[in-house]
Amino acid sequence: MFIRQEFDENDERAKKKFIDLFYACDRYKNLTLEIPTDPYTVDFYVYNGNRHIANVEVEVKKPWQQYNFTFKDVQILPRKRKFWEDETHNKGKRTLFVLFNKELTNHLVILSETMENIFRIGNTRNYGTEKTRNDDFYVARLDEVNIGF
């Protein structure tokens, strides 16, 4: 379920943190980020020179409140599916899902290839203090994600 207040509190700070981490990483020194003009698509396009090579979608996982990720799996809302399946949004490139803890002190990365191979589960689940209604989740096991870059 989309919660506007949480989005407003976290979206810009997560994007800024990602930009800082991206440009601080030597591995990405020849790459650049572009912010799409469409607010309903991925958060960033990644370029190597003039060549679009990947996309990035960032999010803060509110229940992840400490440095270590203590959950048994990672859940992604179905509305994010468009970022790995719909070429209108991903321009035919892989999408990296970067999920931050609430304090932005740690993050994990899930590749769109992983998302294509995981399954969908149903039912209403407890999500922190909020309850999601009528939302299923895509679930990635921890061995399918990367912690940090």
Side-chain angles (χ1 to χ4, degrees):
M1 168 173 33
F2 180 77
I3 302 170
R4 171 55 84 183
Q5 181 181 353
E6 288 182 16
F7 175 83
D8 291 343
E9 291 171 1
N10 294 303
D11 190 58
E12 287 304 316
R13 70 188 195 100
K15 289 177 184 176
K16 182 181 180 332
K17 181 68 172 185
F18 175 77
I19 291 169
D20 292 346
L21 289 171
F22 184 87
Y23 286 117
C25 188
D26 283 341
R27 181 186 319 175
Y28 306 125
K29 66 183 176 186
N30 295 324
L31 305 178
T32 56
L33 296 174
E34 178 183 300
I35 299 172
T37 56
D38 179 354
Y40 300 104
T41 193
V42 292
D43 293 319
F44 300 100
Y45 297 137
V46 181
Y47 284 87
N48 185 349
N50 291 329
R51 193 169 59 105
H52 177 202
I53 61 169
N55 309 296
V56 178
E57 175 70 8
V58 300
E59 179 178 317
V60 174
K61 294 300 254 183
K62 185 179 171 186
W64 181 13
Q65 296 189 13
Q66 62 273 4
Y67 185 81
N68 292 323
F69 191 82
T70 58
F71 304 95
K72 65 179 181 166
D73 54 36
V74 182
Q75 300 174 0
I76 304 292
L77 288 169
R79 63 185 161 80
K80 301 289 184 169
R81 182 180 187 165
K82 64 186 177 188
F83 298 140
W84 74 84
E85 284 193 349
D86 184 346
E87 288 200 13
T88 304
H89 295 284
N90 67 27
K91 308 289 187 213
K93 306 298 179 192
R94 78 185 334 189
T95 299
L96 289 76
F97 292 86
V98 179
L99 309 175
F100 287 99
N101 65 349
K102 184 178 179 184
E103 295 79 21
L104 304 181
T105 57
N106 201 0
H107 62 281
L108 55 86
V109 179
I110 306 173
L111 303 177
S112 54
E113 300 91 302
T114 299
M115 299 303 293
E116 291 171 0
N117 295 315
I118 63 178
F119 60 92
R120 191 171 182 176
I121 62 170
N123 300 327
T124 300
R125 298 183 138 219
N126 287 326
Y127 187 67
T129 58
E130 304 286 328
K131 263 203 178 224
T132 59
R133 284 176 267 153
N134 302 320
D135 280 332
D136 294 334
F137 292 89
Y138 289 93
V139 177
R141 296 184 322 264
L142 291 185
D143 64 349
E144 296 175 311
V145 304
N146 297 313
I147 304 292
F149 286 136

